[in-house]
């Protein structure tokens, strides 16, 4: 769904979930403003048992003059848009409407369609609204209140930005012109005195695992922001390397993961703990996640959530191997010979983006890449949409320019920004096609257990090989070890017999 589809309606109500949090209010308000500015008759409402009372929420709404209304009944509108929630779910009071649309980031199993935009891999609904408004060409910064509202939504749903994971989140942090003073004041009105006590009880009943040095902390139903605070605190303890705090939350469980170990990336552990039943992600040291109640029940039936976490943590620690690039491959059995296939890639000459000498940043799903524009510097777009710079002579050794048009589409389209400015250029429309020449030979085999591979190219963290994924090393340089996902391997490599 795109936002301008909503413009075919005139009488519109935006509904956010009961007990609204900052993300719900901020996201709902941004969509409200978009529709209002298009001349629509629109209201922003929520139902449920209680009106908003939390201090920071009251202040947020008052200071930005957000016209959000608490309602117990609603005259049937032509269009009802649920934001940061999904129509019919337990945390949204049901009101009748002629048409329903949804914008949400919670994972309930529902997929996007004509009238709903569900992106459960994103940390906040504000992120989705930001992306959708940007796609409409809507100038968010023209309205400081909208920019601030979206920023605060992201801020709160990502545990004060510590659990952000997507390029859009980073764009928001850098590009939104928000009210810093208000955000600072809100930041220190984050927890209530009850939250403070809740943290104390949670810490007293923590489960500590001596062997693996992690703490599992069950917190009474609370503001999810408290989880990050508790997780950060736990990591300060000398014998705790990893902290997992979790609580019940409408529709499931929220989790917060903290790690100070290079061998245990918080974002990877979080996605392990939520695998198949939710979503998790974030940074190497701080990450968050959500487990959907119904998916949990479907998969684990009557298992107690605490038991689940203990079992999964044990599985995690007991079942992985580490491979480090400098040490070579110790076990060389069962490796087979492969060669890179000829495939279509995209490339952009950096001087087609900006003049030579300009420094720019390419924002990708894997992280930011910095490039100085020069005649001999190109940007490659890989088979999965990954982006990396390449020198012209290396390019010419490995690829030949193709006459075909480059028309690949990926879930996320990387953008390039000229450093020091707000000038964004979309990379994919600028790309031309090239074909890879038959490549060098490698050894590869599927792994049996979760393997963490520290490659030469990324010192900060490891690549993950799940069972079935291929661990590879170059024939010319056996220290050049890396991982290729099972689903991509056959597309990239062919066996040499
Ligand atoms: Mn949210």
């Amino acid at each position: 769904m795109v936002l301008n589809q909503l413009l075919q309606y005139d009488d519109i109500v935006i509904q956010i979930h009961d007990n609204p949090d900052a993300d719900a209010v901020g996201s709902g308000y941004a969509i409200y403003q978009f529709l209002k500015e298009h001349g629509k008759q629109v209201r922003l409402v929520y139902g449920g048992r209680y009106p908003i009372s939390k201090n920071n929420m009251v202040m947020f709404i008052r200071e930005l003059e957000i016209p959000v209304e608490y309602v117990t009944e609603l005259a049937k509108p032509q269009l009802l848009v649920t934001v940061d929630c999904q129509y019919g779910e337990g945390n949204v009071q049901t009101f009748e409407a002629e048409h329903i649309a949804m914008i949400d980031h919670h994972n309930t199993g529902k997929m996007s369609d004509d009238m709903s935009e569900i992106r459960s891999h994103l940390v906040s609904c504000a992120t989705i609204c930001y992306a959708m408004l940007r796609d409409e060409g809507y100038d968010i910064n023209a309205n400081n209140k909208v920019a601030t509202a979206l920023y605060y939504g992201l801020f709160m749903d990502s545990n004060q930005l510590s659990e952000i994971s997507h390029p859009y989140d980073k764009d928001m942090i850098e590009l939104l012109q928000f009210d810093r003073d208000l955000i600072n004041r809100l930041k220190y009105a984050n927890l209530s005195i009850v939250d403070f006590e809740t943290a104390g009880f949670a810490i007293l009943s923590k489960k500590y695992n001596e062997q693996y040095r992690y703490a599992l902390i069950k917190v009474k139903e609370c503001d999810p922001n408290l989880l990050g605070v508790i997780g950060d605190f736990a990591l300060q303890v000398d014998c705790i390397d990893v902290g997992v705090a979790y609580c019940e939350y409408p529709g499931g469980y929220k989790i917060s993961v903290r790690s100070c170990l290079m061998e245990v990336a918080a974002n990877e552990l979080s996605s392990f703990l939520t695998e198949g039943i939710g979503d998790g992600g974030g940074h190497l040291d701080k990450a968050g996640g959500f487990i959907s109640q119904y998916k949990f029940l479907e998969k684990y039936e009557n298992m107690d959530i605490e038991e689940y976490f203990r079992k999964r943590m044990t599985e995690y620690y007991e079942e992985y191997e580490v491979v480090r690039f400098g040490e070579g491959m110790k076990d060389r059995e069962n490796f087979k010979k492969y060669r890179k296939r000829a495939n279509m890639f995209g490339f952009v000459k950096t001087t087609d983006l900006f003049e030579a000498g300009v420094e720019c940043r390419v924002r990708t799903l894997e992280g930011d890449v910095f490039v100085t524009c020069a005649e001999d510097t190109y940007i490659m777009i890989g088979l999965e949409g990954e982006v990396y710079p390449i020198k012209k002579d290396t390019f010419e050794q490995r690829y030949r320019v193709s006459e075909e048009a480059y028309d690949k589409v990926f879930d996320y389209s990387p953008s390039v920004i000229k450093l020091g400015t707000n000038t964004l250029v979309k990379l994919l429309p600028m790309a031309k096609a090239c074909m890879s020449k038959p490549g060098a030979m490698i050894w590869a085999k599927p792994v049996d257990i979760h393997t963490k591979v520290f490659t030469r190219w990324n010192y900060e963290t490891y690549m993950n090989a799940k069972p079935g994924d291929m661990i590879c090393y170059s024939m010319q340089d056996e220290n050049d070890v890396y991982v290729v996902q099972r689903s991509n391997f056959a597309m990239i490599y062919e066996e040499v017999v």
Side-chain angles (χ1 to χ4, degrees):
M1 183 183 80
V2 293
L3 283 179
N4 78 47
Q5 277 168 254
L6 305 181
L7 300 177
Q8 58 184 302
Y9 304 96
D10 289 309
D11 164 31
I12 308 174
V13 171
I14 297 162
Q15 184 187 1
I16 54 180
H17 57 75
D18 307 350
N19 292 315
D21 57 6
D23 187 40
V25 173
S27 301
Y29 175 58
I31 302 302
Y32 170 94
Q33 277 299 337
F34 172 80
L35 296 171
K36 194 93 186 161
E37 285 168 30
H38 280 86
K40 303 298 169 186
Q41 185 198 319
V42 48
R43 288 175 71 190
L44 174 60
V45 309
Y46 67 97
R49 273 190 287 171
Y50 311 104
I52 291 170
S53 64
K54 226 192 127 196
N55 247 324
N56 60 336
M57 289 303 298
V58 172
M59 185 164 145
F60 174 49
I61 290 162
R62 185 188 62 224
E63 297 283 319
L64 293 180
E65 298 172 302
I66 297 175
V68 62
E69 306 167 51
Y70 173 59
V71 296
T72 46
E73 45 194 44
L74 192 71
K76 192 173 174 179
Q78 194 186 13
L79 176 69
L80 183 77
V81 191
T82 63
V83 172
D84 197 31
C85 58
Q86 293 170 34
Y87 192 81
E89 287 293 316
N91 63 337
V92 201
Q93 189 172 342
T94 306
F95 295 117
E96 276 182 56
E98 283 172 43
H99 302 275
I100 310 281
M102 306 180 208
I103 301 172
D104 190 26
H105 71 127
H106 295 95
N107 187 337
T108 62
K110 183 176 163 41
M111 297 293 182
S112 293
D113 58 32
D114 276 4
M115 287 299 273
S116 47
E117 191 63 20
I118 316 288
R119 303 190 197 172
S120 59
H121 58 288
L122 294 179
V123 69
S124 75
C125 190
T127 315
I128 309 175
C129 295
Y130 170 81
M132 292 179 92
L133 288 166
R134 193 161 109 176
D135 286 346
E136 291 299 328
Y138 180 85
D139 182 6
I140 301 171
N141 285 329
N143 187 331
N144 184 256
K145 288 180 180 172
V146 171
T148 307
L150 286 175
Y151 183 88
Y152 191 53
L154 171 68
F155 186 84
M156 293 303 282
D157 259 26
S158 64
N159 251 309
Q160 311 218 354
L161 307 182
S162 64
E163 294 167 3
I164 63 159
S165 55
H166 199 274
Y168 284 133
D169 302 328
K170 296 184 197 163
D171 280 356
M172 289 173 74
I173 294 168
E174 285 176 15
L175 301 175
L176 285 179
Q177 290 161 14
F178 56 90
D179 180 345
R180 249 171 233 284
D181 173 59
L182 177 61
I183 295 292
N184 275 336
R185 281 185 287 137
L186 288 168
K187 197 167 154 180
Y188 294 105
N190 187 23
L191 301 180
S192 66
I193 196 80
V194 174
D195 291 334
F196 195 51
E197 288 163 8
T198 302
F201 285 114
I203 290 167
L204 286 174
S205 61
K206 53 97 195 48
K207 297 284 183 294
Y208 176 62
N209 184 303
E210 224 168 290
Q211 187 185 0
Y212 298 120
R213 297 166 56 92
Y214 69 79
L216 200 53
I217 308 150
K218 182 178 193 166
V219 187
K220 201 179 80 182
E221 189 165 354
C222 66
D223 185 330
N225 281 285
L226 187 59
L227 299 180
V229 175
I230 295 173
D232 286 333
F233 192 30
L235 229 56
Q236 301 290 317
V237 178
D238 59 355
C239 63
I240 297 177
D241 296 333
V242 171
V244 177
Y246 63 98
C247 71
E248 275 186 39
Y249 191 72
Y253 303 91
K254 277 262 194 192
I255 72 169
S256 220
V257 179
R258 296 294 184 266
S259 167
C260 60
L261 289 185
M262 198 157 168
E263 226 174 88
V264 178
N267 48 11
E268 183 239 338
L269 177 57
S270 174
S271 61
F272 178 84
L273 292 172
T274 55
E275 196 178 338
I277 50 174
D279 283 286
H283 297 279
L284 297 175
D285 54 346
K286 302 179 180 208
F290 179 74
I291 289 173
S292 142
Q293 177 90 55
Y294 107 93
K295 289 197 171 181
F296 182 80
L297 287 174
E298 212 173 65
K299 203 163 168 186
Y300 296 98
E301 290 177 8
N302 294 322
M303 193 185 283
D304 176 68
I305 189 74
E306 184 172 321
E307 190 190 334
Y308 167 78
F309 279 118
R310 295 174 88 161
K311 184 173 151 275
R312 284 295 273 174
M313 289 299 279
T314 306
E315 278 172 17
Y316 180 84
Y317 280 97
E318 280 180 358
E319 294 172 21
Y320 75 75
E321 261 178 20
V322 177
V323 173
R324 293 172 202 278
F325 70 89
E327 298 169 357
M329 197 61 66
K330 283 175 197 140
D331 162 24
R332 302 189 180 214
E333 259 172 69
N334 304 323
F335 277 87
K336 287 183 184 166
K337 237 185 242 184
Y338 295 88
R339 179 194 292 120
K340 230 179 194 162
R341 292 178 190 275
N343 262 304
M344 186 196 270
F345 290 76
F347 76 101
V348 178
K349 293 185 180 179
T350 52
T351 43
D352 286 349
L353 293 167
F354 301 106
E355 66 269 32
V358 166
E359 285 186 278
C360 56
R361 183 198 62 216
V362 192
R363 182 148 280 169
T364 80
L365 279 175
E366 290 78 25
D368 289 348
V369 181
F370 294 88
V371 193
T372 305
C373 296
E375 284 296 335
D376 69 345
T377 307
Y378 296 178
I379 295 171
M380 290 300 300
I381 300 155
L383 297 173
E384 293 292 294
E386 74 277 17
V387 167
Y388 47 95
I390 189 169
K391 287 286 171 197
K392 190 178 174 197
D393 48 352
T394 315
F395 175 84
E396 282 167 354
Q397 278 164 25
R398 294 189 194 162
Y399 306 92
R400 59 175 180 78
V401 176
S402 159
E403 293 303 308
E404 282 175 69
Y406 184 76
D407 53 5
K408 299 221 173 161
V409 185
F410 304 103
D411 283 351
Y412 171 74
S413 168
S415 54
V416 189
I417 192 167
K418 182 175 170 179
L419 286 185
T421 70
N422 282 354
T423 318
L424 271 185
V425 180
K426 286 212 166 188
L427 195 63
L428 293 183
M430 309 282 293
K432 297 188 178 110
C434 60
M435 297 296 293
S436 54
K437 296 177 181 172
M441 309 264 263
I442 61 156
W443 292 104
K445 76 162 186 188
V447 299
D448 309 322
I449 72 163
H450 178 194
T451 307
K452 304 182 179 194
V453 181
F454 286 89
T455 70
R456 168 182 295 167
W457 311 111
N458 192 342
Y459 297 99
E460 273 190 305
T461 188
Y462 44 84
M463 290 178 90
N464 273 303
K466 302 234 175 89
D469 287 344
M470 303 295 277
I471 183 160
C472 314
Y473 67 97
S474 156
M475 273 193 194
Q476 282 121 344
D477 178 2
E478 62 176 61
N479 284 328
D480 186 5
V481 185
Y482 56 96
V483 173
V484 178
Q485 278 174 25
R486 172 174 34 190
S487 54
N488 297 334
F489 190 80
M491 179 171 74
I492 308 174
Y493 294 97
E494 58 191 345
E495 196 175 340
V496 181
V497 218

